[in-house]
Amino acid sequence: MSMSLRHPEILELIKTSGHVEVEDLATRFGVSVQTIRRDLSDLADMGRIERVHGGAILASGTVNIAYDERRSLNRDAKSIIADYCAQMIPSECSVFLNIGTTTEAVARRLMHHKGMLVVTNNMNIATVLNDAAGIDVIVTGGTLRSSDGGMVGPFTNQTIRQFKFDYAIVGCSALGSRGELFDFDDQEVEASRLILQSARTSVLVADCSKFSRTAPIKISDFQEIDHFVTDIEPDTQVLRVLQKSQTELHVAGMKKGE
């Protein structure tokens, strides 16, 4: 199949599933992975897609990908990040988990913690933890978004202000090379800012694909993040920002000394 025929089909596959993998596309089209990488680079140069580690997602700098589709993006990376993060969090503490598929993955790994209070503005997380015997769950309330089960708005923010959490575990939609955290919705961003302000210890969970994405609204900088849990070590520039911000980097799945 020629490049001119592959490009529309690749775009349609990304629109349908939310993402594509290089090796899967090479098998599907019967071409080399190098050919597919060139196809994806061409589409990225045209602004049609965004390259991520091992594949690509639909380009969007102003509208987020659908929640169910985000669950499938970088699923393995989110899994190892969630495992690592859950091991960082002790029992007998209070935790806030914000809106996001990575924080939802963390919630699943907290199921067997004991004596924990979890506050969340994510109905998906509340549902996950509903049957966890050792965890009490408080839902902030607010305006419920049917698109992702998130709760936002003045009532949400008022509830957040009533707490001082031991840990805030937060995600974001995009990360800047200068250590900025970005998201798409202004009300969600406002809630995330309050969450970070209300935490004794803040933990950002985000896979490496967030460095190749863009979003329009700034949440904060790494200066407000105590721990950053990701799946692949960031580039030198980001490492310098982390060091300057005194944010501790945790590369999930990497043994110490590697």
Side-chain angles (χ1 to χ4, degrees), residues 63-113:
V63 179
N64 206 355
I65 301 166
Y67 194 86
D68 285 342
E69 293 176 355
R70 299 204 312 268
R71 275 197 183 107
S72 67
L73 290 175
N74 299 295
R75 188 187 299 272
D76 291 343
K78 290 175 183 177
S79 179
I80 63 169
I81 289 170
D83 284 338
Y84 190 106
C85 181
Q87 292 176 34
M88 292 172 57
I89 308 302
S91 292
E92 308 289 340
C93 71
S94 58
V95 177
F96 197 104
L97 292 163
N98 77 339
I99 302 167
T101 56
T102 307
T103 51
E104 182 183 334
V106 173
R108 295 181 187 280
R109 304 314 193 279
L110 293 175
M111 288 286 291
H112 300 295
H113 279 55

Side-chain angles (χ1 to χ4, degrees), residues 206-222:
D207 65 76
C208 66
S209 71
K210 300 300 175 68
F211 284 105
S212 61
R213 298 197 69 201
T214 59
I217 308 173
K218 181 178 174 180
I219 303 169
S220 66
D221 298 288
F222 273 132

